[in-house]
């Protein structure tokens, strides 16, 4: 598993490269970006804060659970902190598996669980 919590811009291709390999028939990637509106109101930017140690531990738990629950080969979870402008990438999750179903299911699980359990807060 590959985990990253950083205030630097996320590199989507590097995240994908971490999990790619000749043993993978399915690679699913979720890319979360800052959108221009939330609940009908304009967004100028988002500020992400995290409790770093706990956030990385929780991200690790999510990755481990995905590896145990589905036949996933590798998983990367990268999340950004700091001030992000509209269009900036806030989160990237890449999951590699032998078959697409496992990659899709594990990727959805990872982003849904991350949003519920990882101590990362955003302020608009």
């Amino acid at each position: 598993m590959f985990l990253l919590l950083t205030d630097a811009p996320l590199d989507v291709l590097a995240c994908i490269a971490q999990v790619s390999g000749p043993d993978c028939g399915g690679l699913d990637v979720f890319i979360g970006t800052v959108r221009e509106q939330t609940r009908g109101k304009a967004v100028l930017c988002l500020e992400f804060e995290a409790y770093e140690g706990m956030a990385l531990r929780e991200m690790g738990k999510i990755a481990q659970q995905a590896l145990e629950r589905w036949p996933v080969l590798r998983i990367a979870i990268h999340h950004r902190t700091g001030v992000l402008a509209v269009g900036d990438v806030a989160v990237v999750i890449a999951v590699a598996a032998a078959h697409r179903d496992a990659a899709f299911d594990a990727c959805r699980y990872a982003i849904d669980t991350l949003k519920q359990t990882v101590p990362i807060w955003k302020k608009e």
Side-chain angles (χ1 to χ4, degrees), residues 40-105:
K41 294 185 178 182
V43 172
L44 300 177
C45 65
L46 291 181
E47 183 175 0
F48 288 90
E49 294 180 11
Y51 179 15
E52 187 174 353
M54 184 180 276
L56 286 169
R57 278 193 301 280
E58 287 299 315
M59 289 163 65
K61 283 183 193 176
I62 292 166
Q64 188 60 45
Q65 289 166 349
L67 289 165
E68 292 170 2
R69 191 167 173 187
W70 292 277
V72 168
L73 299 169
R74 287 174 294 283
I75 183 169
I77 302 174
H78 295 187
H79 206 295
R80 180 100 183 263
T81 58
V83 178
L84 281 71
V86 170
D88 285 349
V89 175
V91 61
V92 180
I93 298 176
V95 180
H99 303 284
R100 70 180 177 272
D101 285 343
F104 279 123
D105 292 344

